[in-house]
Structures are given as structure tokens and as C-alpha cells.
Amino acid sequence: MSVGDLDNLNSSQQEALGKLMTSLSDVTLPERDERYFLRWLRAVKFDVHKAEDRLRKHAELRKELGADTILTDWTPPEVLTKYAPTGLFGEDRDGHPVYYDGFGNLDMKGIKLVMLTAQHYPGIENHIIFIKAPRVFPFAFGIVKHLIDETKQSKFVLLGANWREEILQYISPEQLPQVYGGTRCEPDPACSNFVSPFRKINMGGDVPPEYYLTNSTQTNKEDMERLVVSRGSSHNLEFPVEIPGTSIRWELITIDHDIGFGWFQKFEAAANDLSELIPVKRTNSHVVPERGVLQCSSPGIYVMKFDNSYSWTRSKEVYYSVKMDPPDSEPRGQEV
């Protein structure tokens, strides 16, 4: 049974479906048919309030990412189209398209990507097949699987050492590239040079130097403060502001890995309650320096937060610079 199958719904389930569709009449969604809403309901066992909450958060994410117009407004950079280890190719034995994603040495980041898919795209997959997963994967997945609904969990397939033979239960040889045990695309075993750009698999590889960031985007970390944020933790830096209209300018880079970053305000030094100014989001500051300006409309203590709570295996090395500009001053700033 498909999670979008409208047959065999009992009266309470039909009522829940109607309530969900009515409650979200004010939200812009990519689809509005009953099957779409039913997928979200089944993911939370027909809890209307949970489904509504998830859908509202999903709509906010789509708006933030510009998902409704991304196909016309955004062109992927060449380095991404050539070297991102992903691709859509062939069909499984049930006729569903097969998407390949090369997580590489799968760690918590890879698992969190699966969880993100589960949260925002319920019921779209037939199976989620893992091959060549590291030994730590079953342990790591066991820790977080309670965050994924049972329907999604039932679709996970972890193949063992004989994965080349086992995968043929799900995808026939003529639909499977040779590199994965099939017979397609001879003499191109990875199907990386197939005719259609949307029906091929990029195998990744080393990115050529011409795609690297230019020197103009680099920051001299010798002029910055250094901070190490331990794995699974966060760190706050406090900057007192006495004059309304003061501007806080910041710049930060990380070494090799991303970091969560955001700004908050509190009005008393001993207070624990923080007012969110810039939400904490993971930033690729190991690729491009993160820079910004915060306008302080009122006095208080402004808190710069580095969040590494999502990383259970890596500490993060951060270099940062913070400068404060009084109102109506030249934008040189005073380092604090």
C-alpha cells in the first residue's frame, strides 16, 4: 500500500485528512491534493497537530530556500554538476526511479541527511538502500532511529558484504550500472557519461584547482582570535553594548568543517534567557568566510553563539573577528 493511497481509510482517518487540509488553507505548499496530505498524516500516525506543525515548518523551509522557483532562478555551479557524487538513473523492480547519493564514509552527517529527508519528504521512497556502510553505522543509526517514523524505518535496507548480489533483489541487472553489479552502460561502468544529464551518476573525485576559491575570498586568520568548540557542545561569546545604534561587524572561518552560528541578546549579565536575533544555522565557513553586520537597536549584552552540538565526533577550530562601530561613525570599528 502506498502512503498516499486513499483506499481503505476509516472514518476517523478521513476526518483527520479533512481537518489537516482545512487547517493549512493559509499555507503555500507545492501540492494540495489529498494524497499529498495523506503522506504527511501517515508519517505521524494521523496526528493532525503533528502533521500540521511539520507541514508549516516545511513550508517555511521551502520559502527560505526559494524552492518554488529554484529550477528557474538558480543554476548549479559547474563544479557541483561535475563533481557532486549523486545521480538519478534507471528504475527499481517496482518501476520507481533510483537516486544515487555517494555519502562516502557515512557518519552522523550522512545519517542526519537521511533524517532531514524523513522530516520533509515523507513517503516518497520505496526503499533506502545502504551499501558499503562503515561498521559504526548500525550503532550510530540505532541512536537516532527513534527520531524517524516506523514507516520510514521499515524501508531502510542495509546490505552486507554480498551487496552486489543482494541489491539485485531490488533493481534488475539491466537497470543497474556495472559498478554496482548490474549490466548497464558498457563500457562506462558507472554510467557517468550517459546521454541525458539527468540520467547519469557523478562519481565525484578530486576537484581540479581551477575550481578552488580565489585569493580574494581568503581571510588572514593571523589577525583573528582562535577558538576550539568541542564535539557535541556549543560556546557563547558576550559583547556588551551601551549605546543604541551601535553596529557589530563580524567575520569567521573554520578549518576543514562547518559550524553552527547565530546571534542572541540578553539584558542582564546573569540572565539565562536569550532573545534570538539571528537563528543558529550551520554555515560552510570552511569554504567561504562568514561575514555580517548586526545593528543593535537597544543596549544589552549581545551573544555570539557557536554550535557544534550536532557533531559527535569532531571538535571545530574557529577563527573569528568582532568589531563594534558606534552610531554615525566611520565603518572602521573597534575590535573587542
Side-chain angles (χ1 to χ4, degrees):
M1 179 186 69
S2 168
V3 294
D5 191 350
L6 292 169
D7 295 333
N8 301 318
L9 291 181
N10 60 39
S11 58
S12 63
Q13 291 171 339
Q14 292 175 345
E15 182 181 358
L17 179 59
K19 286 182 177 179
L20 181 63
M21 296 181 69
T22 301
S23 67
L24 291 165
S25 60
D26 61 317
V27 178
T28 300
L29 294 168
E31 301 177 52
R32 298 210 66 91
D33 62 85
E34 292 180 326
R35 288 180 173 80
Y36 178 75
F37 289 98
L38 187 56
R39 292 207 325 257
W40 291 84
L41 275 173
R42 283 205 164 107
V44 293
K45 298 181 179 179
F46 285 87
D47 187 317
V48 176
H49 296 297
K50 286 185 178 179
E52 179 182 353
D53 181 63
R54 284 196 183 185
L55 270 163
R56 287 188 181 277
K57 290 179 179 178
H58 178 67
E60 291 175 4
L61 180 66
R62 290 184 61 87
K63 183 178 180 180
E64 178 182 334
L65 298 178
D68 291 332
T69 58
I70 196 170
L71 293 179
T72 55
D73 294 349
W74 182 70
T75 301
E78 186 177 89
V79 64
L80 185 62
T81 58
K82 285 187 175 182
Y83 295 99
T86 62
L88 189 66
F89 187 88
E91 299 176 347
D92 68 6
R93 290 188 179 274
D94 295 323
H96 301 93
V98 179
Y99 179 75
Y100 295 80
D101 198 328
F103 286 122
N105 294 322
L106 189 66
D107 56 8
M108 290 304 298
K109 184 182 292 186
I111 294 173
K112 287 192 176 188
L113 181 58
V114 174
M115 292 171 61
L116 180 66
T117 303
Q119 289 287 329
H120 289 279
Y121 300 97
I124 66 169
E125 67 292 304
N126 195 29
H127 293 99
I128 301 174
I129 302 174
F130 297 92
I131 62 172
K132 299 189 289 185
R135 292 181 180 179
V136 71
F137 176 77
F139 170 75
F141 180 70
I143 296 174
V144 300
K145 71 176 184 179
H146 68 281
L147 300 175
I148 303 174
D149 67 82
E150 294 177 1
T151 301
K152 175 78 70 171
Q153 289 186 40
S154 68
K155 297 180 179 182
F156 285 13
V157 179
L158 179 60
L159 302 184
N162 296 323
W163 62 268
R164 289 180 182 274
E165 293 77 26
E166 295 172 353
I167 200 173
L168 297 180
Q169 301 175 38
Y170 305 95
I171 307 172
S172 62
E174 60 271 16
Q175 291 290 328
L176 191 66
Q178 289 181 338
V179 71
Y180 296 115
T183 60
R184 286 295 298 273
C185 301
E186 187 178 358
D188 175 23
C191 297
S192 58
N193 294 312
F194 202 62
V195 176
S196 170
F198 299 104
R199 296 289 178 180
K200 71 175 186 178
I201 305 170
N202 283 343
M203 299 305 291
D206 294 335
V207 177
E210 57 264 29
Y211 289 109
Y212 291 2
L213 294 173
T214 64
N215 290 333
S216 62
T217 64
Q218 302 303 306
T219 297
N220 183 8
K221 62 178 182 289
E222 294 180 358
D223 298 329
M224 309 175 81
E225 299 293 328
R226 179 179 179 271
L227 171 68
V228 175
V229 185
S230 300
R231 61 186 182 180
S233 69
S234 60
H235 189 90
N236 292 347
L237 298 173
E238 298 185 353
F239 303 95
V241 172
E242 297 179 355
I243 306 174
T246 297
S247 298
I248 300 179
R249 295 186 290 119
W250 76 86
E251 181 175 11
L252 70 95
I253 59 174
T254 48
I255 306 301
D256 295 333
H257 304 288
D258 64 0
I259 190 76
F261 171 76
W263 278 95
F264 297 81
Q265 183 184 14
K266 62 181 182 178
F267 298 95
E268 296 180 6
N272 294 320
D273 294 337
L274 298 178
S275 176
E276 182 182 83
L277 301 176
I278 298 178
V280 172
K281 293 183 180 179
R282 292 172 65 172
T283 176
N284 292 322
S285 47
H286 62 301
V287 178
V288 178
E290 177 76 14
R291 303 182 179 99
V293 178
L294 181 67
Q295 300 292 335
C296 305
S297 59
S298 62
I301 298 174
Y302 288 77
V303 181
M304 186 183 196
K305 183 182 184 68
F306 296 101
D307 179 27
N308 194 33
S309 59
Y310 58 87
S311 180
W312 295 6
T313 59
R314 296 190 181 98
S315 297
K316 304 294 175 63
E317 184 178 5
V318 181
Y319 289 85
Y320 69 92
S321 173
V322 176
K323 298 182 178 181
M324 301 181 68
D325 296 320
D328 302 322
S329 67
E330 293 294 327
R332 293 174 301 176
Q334 178 182 359
E335 189 164 355
V336 298

Short mmCIF file of all heavy atoms in Angstrom, two decimals, residues 203-232:
data_model
loop_
_atom_site.label_atom_id
_atom_site.label_comp_id
_atom_site.label_asym_id
_atom_site.label_seq_id
_atom_site.Cartn_x
_atom_site.Cartn_y
_atom_site.Cartn_z
N MET A 203 30.46 10.38 -10.14
CA MET A 203 31.20 9.56 -9.18
C MET A 203 32.11 10.40 -8.30
O MET A 203 32.92 9.87 -7.53
CB MET A 203 32.04 8.50 -9.93
CG MET A 203 31.20 7.54 -10.74
SD MET A 203 29.91 6.71 -9.77
CE MET A 203 30.90 5.67 -8.73
N GLY A 204 31.98 11.73 -8.38
CA GLY A 204 32.79 12.59 -7.51
C GLY A 204 34.23 12.63 -7.98
O GLY A 204 34.52 12.68 -9.17
N GLY A 205 35.16 12.60 -7.04
CA GLY A 205 36.58 12.66 -7.36
C GLY A 205 37.21 13.96 -6.91
O GLY A 205 36.53 14.86 -6.37
N ASP A 206 38.50 14.08 -7.11
CA ASP A 206 39.22 15.28 -6.72
C ASP A 206 38.79 16.47 -7.58
O ASP A 206 38.71 16.36 -8.80
CB ASP A 206 40.72 15.07 -6.86
CG ASP A 206 41.26 14.03 -5.88
OD1 ASP A 206 40.62 13.84 -4.83
OD2 ASP A 206 42.28 13.40 -6.19
N VAL A 207 38.50 17.59 -6.93
CA VAL A 207 38.11 18.80 -7.64
C VAL A 207 39.37 19.50 -8.17
O VAL A 207 40.30 19.76 -7.39
CB VAL A 207 37.34 19.75 -6.70
CG1 VAL A 207 37.00 21.05 -7.42
CG2 VAL A 207 36.07 19.07 -6.19
N PRO A 208 39.44 19.81 -9.47
CA PRO A 208 40.63 20.46 -10.02
C PRO A 208 40.88 21.83 -9.39
O PRO A 208 39.93 22.51 -8.96
CB PRO A 208 40.27 20.61 -11.51
CG PRO A 208 39.23 19.57 -11.76
CD PRO A 208 38.44 19.48 -10.50
N PRO A 209 42.13 22.26 -9.32
CA PRO A 209 42.47 23.54 -8.68
C PRO A 209 41.77 24.74 -9.27
O PRO A 209 41.54 25.72 -8.56
CB PRO A 209 44.00 23.62 -8.89
CG PRO A 209 44.45 22.20 -9.02
CD PRO A 209 43.33 21.50 -9.74
N GLU A 210 41.40 24.68 -10.56
CA GLU A 210 40.76 25.86 -11.16
C GLU A 210 39.40 26.17 -10.56
O GLU A 210 38.86 27.26 -10.75
CB GLU A 210 40.62 25.69 -12.69
CG GLU A 210 39.84 24.47 -13.13
CD GLU A 210 40.74 23.30 -13.47
OE1 GLU A 210 41.85 23.22 -12.89
OE2 GLU A 210 40.36 22.49 -14.33
N TYR A 211 38.83 25.21 -9.83
CA TYR A 211 37.55 25.45 -9.18
C TYR A 211 37.70 25.98 -7.76
O TYR A 211 36.70 26.29 -7.10
CB TYR A 211 36.72 24.17 -9.14
CG TYR A 211 36.19 23.74 -10.48
CD1 TYR A 211 36.71 22.62 -11.12
CD2 TYR A 211 35.17 24.44 -11.10
CE1 TYR A 211 36.23 22.20 -12.35
CE2 TYR A 211 34.68 24.04 -12.34
CZ TYR A 211 35.22 22.92 -12.96
OH TYR A 211 34.74 22.52 -14.17
N TYR A 212 38.92 26.05 -7.26
CA TYR A 212 39.12 26.50 -5.88
C TYR A 212 38.76 27.97 -5.74
O TYR A 212 38.73 28.73 -6.70
CB TYR A 212 40.58 26.30 -5.46
CG TYR A 212 41.01 24.87 -5.30
CD1 TYR A 212 40.15 23.81 -5.56
CD2 TYR A 212 42.31 24.57 -4.91
CE1 TYR A 212 40.56 22.50 -5.42
CE2 TYR A 212 42.73 23.25 -4.77
CZ TYR A 212 41.85 22.23 -5.03
OH TYR A 212 42.27 20.93 -4.89
N LEU A 213 38.50 28.38 -4.50
CA LEU A 213 38.23 29.79 -4.22
C LEU A 213 39.44 30.63 -4.57
O LEU A 213 40.58 30.22 -4.37
CB LEU A 213 37.91 29.98 -2.73
CG LEU A 213 36.62 29.34 -2.23
CD1 LEU A 213 36.54 29.48 -0.72
CD2 LEU A 213 35.43 29.99 -2.87
N THR A 214 39.18 31.83 -5.07
CA THR A 214 40.28 32.73 -5.36
C THR A 214 40.82 33.34 -4.08
O THR A 214 40.19 33.33 -3.04
CB THR A 214 39.82 33.87 -6.30
OG1 THR A 214 38.83 34.64 -5.60
CG2 THR A 214 39.20 33.31 -7.57
N ASN A 215 42.02 33.93 -4.18
CA ASN A 215 42.64 34.52 -3.00
C ASN A 215 41.83 35.68 -2.43
O ASN A 215 41.94 36.02 -1.27
CB ASN A 215 44.06 35.03 -3.35
CG ASN A 215 45.00 33.87 -3.59
OD1 ASN A 215 44.81 32.78 -3.06
ND2 ASN A 215 46.03 34.10 -4.40
N SER A 216 40.96 36.28 -3.25
CA SER A 216 40.19 37.43 -2.80
C SER A 216 39.18 37.04 -1.73
O SER A 216 38.69 37.88 -0.99
CB SER A 216 39.44 38.08 -3.98
OG SER A 216 38.52 37.15 -4.55
N THR A 217 38.85 35.74 -1.67
CA THR A 217 37.87 35.30 -0.67
C THR A 217 38.55 34.80 0.60
O THR A 217 37.87 34.44 1.54
CB THR A 217 36.98 34.18 -1.24
OG1 THR A 217 37.80 33.03 -1.51
CG2 THR A 217 36.26 34.62 -2.49
N GLN A 218 39.88 34.74 0.61
CA GLN A 218 40.58 34.21 1.76
C GLN A 218 40.73 35.27 2.86
O GLN A 218 40.76 36.46 2.61
CB GLN A 218 41.96 33.69 1.35
CG GLN A 218 41.91 32.61 0.27
CD GLN A 218 41.07 31.43 0.72
OE1 GLN A 218 41.28 30.85 1.78
NE2 GLN A 218 40.09 31.07 -0.11
N THR A 219 40.80 34.80 4.08
CA THR A 219 40.94 35.67 5.23
C THR A 219 42.23 35.33 5.96
O THR A 219 42.59 34.16 6.09
CB THR A 219 39.74 35.48 6.18
OG1 THR A 219 38.54 35.88 5.49
CG2 THR A 219 39.90 36.31 7.44
N ASN A 220 42.92 36.36 6.44
CA ASN A 220 44.15 36.14 7.18
C ASN A 220 43.82 35.82 8.63
O ASN A 220 43.51 36.70 9.43
CB ASN A 220 45.04 37.39 7.09
CG ASN A 220 46.37 37.18 7.78
OD1 ASN A 220 46.70 36.06 8.19
ND2 ASN A 220 47.15 38.24 7.90
N LYS A 221 43.87 34.55 8.98
CA LYS A 221 43.46 34.16 10.33
C LYS A 221 44.46 34.58 11.39
O LYS A 221 44.16 34.51 12.59
CB LYS A 221 43.22 32.65 10.40
CG LYS A 221 44.41 31.76 10.12
CD LYS A 221 43.99 30.30 10.29
CE LYS A 221 45.15 29.34 10.08
NZ LYS A 221 45.57 29.28 8.68
N GLU A 222 45.65 35.04 10.99
CA GLU A 222 46.62 35.52 11.97
C GLU A 222 46.12 36.77 12.69
O GLU A 222 46.59 37.09 13.79
CB GLU A 222 47.96 35.80 11.28
CG GLU A 222 48.63 34.54 10.73
CD GLU A 222 49.96 34.83 10.06
OE1 GLU A 222 50.32 36.03 10.01
OE2 GLU A 222 50.61 33.89 9.60
N ASP A 223 45.19 37.50 12.07
CA ASP A 223 44.64 38.71 12.68
C ASP A 223 43.35 38.42 13.45
O ASP A 223 42.65 39.36 13.86
CB ASP A 223 44.36 39.76 11.60
CG ASP A 223 45.63 40.19 10.90
OD1 ASP A 223 46.70 40.17 11.54
OD2 ASP A 223 45.56 40.53 9.70
N MET A 224 43.02 37.14 13.66
CA MET A 224 41.76 36.78 14.28
C MET A 224 42.01 36.00 15.58
O MET A 224 43.10 35.49 15.81
CB MET A 224 40.92 35.94 13.30
CG MET A 224 40.77 36.58 11.93
SD MET A 224 39.91 35.54 10.73
CE MET A 224 38.22 35.84 11.17
N GLU A 225 40.96 35.94 16.40
CA GLU A 225 41.02 35.14 17.62
C GLU A 225 40.71 33.68 17.29
O GLU A 225 39.90 33.39 16.40
CB GLU A 225 40.00 35.66 18.64
CG GLU A 225 40.23 37.10 19.09
CD GLU A 225 41.51 37.24 19.89
OE1 GLU A 225 41.89 36.28 20.59
OE2 GLU A 225 42.13 38.32 19.80
N ARG A 226 41.35 32.78 18.01
CA ARG A 226 41.15 31.35 17.77
C ARG A 226 40.30 30.75 18.89
O ARG A 226 40.46 31.08 20.06
CB ARG A 226 42.50 30.63 17.70
CG ARG A 226 42.39 29.11 17.47
CD ARG A 226 43.78 28.49 17.38
NE ARG A 226 43.71 27.05 17.19
CZ ARG A 226 43.66 26.15 18.19
NH1 ARG A 226 43.67 26.59 19.45
NH2 ARG A 226 43.62 24.85 17.94
N LEU A 227 39.43 29.84 18.51
CA LEU A 227 38.55 29.17 19.46
C LEU A 227 38.33 27.74 18.99
O LEU A 227 38.14 27.48 17.80
CB LEU A 227 37.20 29.90 19.53
CG LEU A 227 36.08 29.23 20.33
CD1 LEU A 227 36.42 29.21 21.82
CD2 LEU A 227 34.75 29.95 20.08
N VAL A 228 38.38 26.79 19.92
CA VAL A 228 38.06 25.39 19.62
C VAL A 228 36.76 25.03 20.33
O VAL A 228 36.66 25.15 21.55
CB VAL A 228 39.19 24.43 20.06
CG1 VAL A 228 38.77 22.98 19.83
CG2 VAL A 228 40.47 24.73 19.28
N VAL A 229 35.76 24.63 19.54
CA VAL A 229 34.47 24.21 20.09
C VAL A 229 34.46 22.69 20.12
O VAL A 229 34.53 22.04 19.07
CB VAL A 229 33.30 24.75 19.24
CG1 VAL A 229 31.97 24.40 19.89
CG2 VAL A 229 33.43 26.26 19.04
N SER A 230 34.38 22.14 21.31
CA SER A 230 34.47 20.70 21.48
C SER A 230 33.31 19.98 20.80
O SER A 230 32.23 20.56 20.57
CB SER A 230 34.49 20.33 22.97
OG SER A 230 35.60 20.93 23.61
N ARG A 231 33.50 18.73 20.48
CA ARG A 231 32.44 17.93 19.86
C ARG A 231 31.23 17.85 20.78
O ARG A 231 31.35 17.76 22.00
CB ARG A 231 32.96 16.52 19.56
CG ARG A 231 33.41 15.76 20.78
CD ARG A 231 34.03 14.44 20.39
NE ARG A 231 34.42 13.67 21.57
CZ ARG A 231 34.98 12.46 21.52
NH1 ARG A 231 35.24 11.91 20.35
NH2 ARG A 231 35.29 11.83 22.63
N GLY A 232 30.06 17.91 20.18
CA GLY A 232 28.83 17.81 20.94
C GLY A 232 28.54 18.96 21.87
O GLY A 232 27.75 18.83 22.81
#
